[in-house]
Amino acid sequence: MSKKRVLTGVTTTGIPHLGNYVGAIRPAVRAAQADGTESFLFLADYHGIIKCHDPEMIHTSTQAVAATWLACGLDPERTTFYRQSDIPEIMELNWILGCITAKGLMNRAHAYKAAVQENLDKGQEDQDHGIEMGLYSYPILMSADILMFKANEVPVGRDQIQHVEMARDIAGRFNHRFKEVFTLPEVKIDENIELLVGLDGRKMSKSYGNTIPLFETEKKLQKSVNKIITNLKEPGEPKGTDESPLFEIYKAFATADETAAFAQALSDGLAWGEAKKLLSAKINAELSDKRERYNELTANPAQIEDILQAGAAKARKEARVLLDEVRDAVGIRALR
Ligand code: ADP
Ligand code: TRP
């Protein structure tokens, strides 16, 4: 029986933080080790340039995100790990899919609709003011990413469900009109995903500037942890687990027993300062080896590049076969 194909992409617009690790990286690396699956993971840099127009950030982020995945245990022998922009076949497929995608479908995309709504709210006469084609056709490129490798399952965050459904729609339309070339992908949402809170108690997110970066030095980590908000309760006063985001972060890095012991210690009056030291130690215990590996990798970007190039070579072999089939199906073929 053929293996189940799992595919997902990560946009290269920032530096990974603890929330990305707990919610996306750690579970994905574990899932990629499962028998019976074949995984494809890529850096979505062409998606990155839609949202981020800072070339240095795109570049730095590409390196940081790639090094993070490798440091966290992604095995490039088992997972096909590549950079989207190294697979030119994806862009060719992107065009062909664009030629069968209804404009109305794109009008319904959440990200585009949100941008239009923002214009309307501001009283802009032109509802498309400042909206670029990249944002508008984002779901077509994402469909090309997914359909190119016949992905069966696409694990993503909730905000991306609609995009995977659009990929399914577009695949169905192509298969119906031309030939059964594409596999219909299914979206996979992990119901038990831990949503990590940030320094200020809201969801930890690049957009809120409330993150703890994953691989900063031990000293900086302690400094970030010290910024987590608490209340004014003194040492010795009983504290509840809901009185500071630090408990939830601790829980994401500890076993059930350790978490229960930590809750008990808080209730017995553990000082916030001590609690923060325990939290830093806990995070460190899980991340210090990975941090070392991350630092080695980022000190040697050529090594990361080699890994990505090997992944791209593997991916392109497959991409070529599918693209030839697609081109043939639409009538683009040699005259011999
Ligand atoms: P951000 O909100 O920092 O911009 P992204 O939207 O780039 O993060 O998310 C990348 C991945 O990390 C997604 O799979 C998302 O579900 C996960 N993720 C982001 N923030 C958190 C969080 N606070 N807790 C758990 N998972 C998160
Ligand atoms: N759009 C996704 C995000 O912002 C990233 C992405 C690009 C992706 N192409 C993909 C995810 C294909 C899954 C499959 O998170």
Side-chain angles (χ1 to χ4, degrees):
M1 212 186 84
S2 66
K3 289 185 173 175
K4 179 175 74 180
R5 285 217 166 163
V6 179
L7 173 144
T8 196
V10 181
T11 49
T12 54
T13 51
I15 304 299
H17 54 76
L18 293 186
N20 299 144
Y21 173 74
V22 168
I25 300 168
R26 190 170 62 185
V29 168
R30 282 185 191 151
Q33 285 157 358
D35 285 338
T37 60
E38 216 179 339
S39 57
F40 286 69
L41 188 102
F42 66 96
L43 309 168
D45 52 351
Y46 274 144
H47 276 109
I49 63 170
I50 293 171
K51 301 181 216 164
C52 171
H53 294 168
D54 171 357
E56 274 319 303
M57 183 41 112
I58 293 287
H59 182 75
T60 308
S61 169
T62 302
Q63 174 170 319
V65 174
T68 298
W69 281 95
L70 293 167
C72 290
L74 180 144
D75 175 0
E77 298 293 321
R78 274 195 78 132
T79 296
T80 306
F81 182 50
Y82 54 97
R83 174 165 48 200
Q84 183 184 36
S85 61
D86 284 333
I87 320 291
E89 289 81 5
I90 292 175
M91 296 318 292
E92 288 190 55
L93 181 58
N94 176 60
W95 178 258
I96 297 173
L97 297 181
C99 293
I100 59 148
T101 301
K103 177 173 175 287
L105 187 69
M106 295 300 99
N107 289 343
R108 291 193 287 279
H110 297 319
Y112 170 65
K113 274 171 60 180
V116 166
Q117 193 56 49
E118 207 176 303
N119 277 332
L120 295 176
D121 291 348
K122 282 191 202 142
Q124 264 290 346
E125 244 169 71
D126 174 10
Q127 64 161 27
D128 286 321
H129 178 80
I131 299 178
E132 281 126 3
M133 284 306 295
L135 177 77
Y136 189 64
S137 45
Y138 183 113
I140 304 177
L141 178 56
M142 188 156 155
S143 301
D145 291 331
I146 296 171
L147 301 181
M148 180 59 100
F149 297 103
K150 300 181 185 276
N152 303 107
E153 223 173 73
V154 184
V156 283
R158 287 179 191 284
D159 59 321
Q160 298 293 322
I161 296 176
Q162 189 197 33
H163 293 152
V164 181
E165 282 168 356
M166 286 179 167
R168 236 183 120 83
D169 251 39
I170 294 171
R173 199 168 162 122
F174 186 99
N175 287 351
H176 179 70
R177 185 175 298 176
F178 298 105
K179 193 179 158 207
E180 289 272 332
V181 176
F182 295 120
T183 300
L184 302 191
E186 310 245 355
V187 67
K188 180 156 183 266
I189 302 294
D190 194 336
E191 301 294 341
N192 313 313
I193 215 77
E194 297 165 90
L195 201 60
L196 214 60
V197 280
L199 299 177
D200 58 358
R202 290 189 291 173
K203 167 188 132 70
M204 189 179 289
S205 169
K206 293 191 287 284
S207 331
Y208 299 148
N210 63 353
T211 72
I212 302 180
L214 186 56
F215 289 131
E216 51 188 8
T217 61
E218 219 169 296
K219 218 167 152 190
K220 279 197 182 153
L221 172 68
Q222 182 69 58
K223 267 193 166 166
S224 296
V225 167
N226 288 343
K227 285 189 212 149
I228 299 174
I229 51 164
T230 55
N231 54 26
L232 296 172
K233 283 194 178 168
E234 299 285 339
E237 273 187 78
K239 301 172 182 72
T241 54
D242 56 355
E243 291 178 26
S244 163
L246 75 80
F247 179 76
E248 287 298 321
I249 304 180
Y250 188 92
K251 190 171 156 204
F253 286 88
T255 63
D257 285 351
E258 289 166 340
T259 305
F262 190 63
Q264 186 60 50
L266 286 171
S267 147
D268 291 344
L270 182 72
W272 287 125
E274 286 306 311
K276 286 179 173 177
K277 279 193 199 140
L278 290 175
L279 172 60
S280 293
K282 201 81 223 140
I283 299 174
N284 252 315
E286 181 158 337
L287 295 183
S288 62
D289 288 354
K290 296 181 172 68
R291 182 194 297 126
E292 213 169 293
R293 177 90 184 105
Y294 177 84
N295 290 337
E296 279 164 22
L297 282 159
T298 47
N300 185 3
Q303 192 191 346
I304 306 177
E305 188 61 43
D306 288 347
I307 293 172
L308 290 174
Q309 289 309 321
K314 217 167 25 160
R316 283 193 75 184
K317 256 196 214 154
E318 287 223 13
R320 190 68 248 166
V321 174
L322 184 102
L323 185 63
D324 285 345
E325 218 182 318
V326 170
R327 285 167 52 135
D328 185 71
V330 299
I332 295 178
R333 49 180 98 106
L335 297 177
R336 268 179 268 117

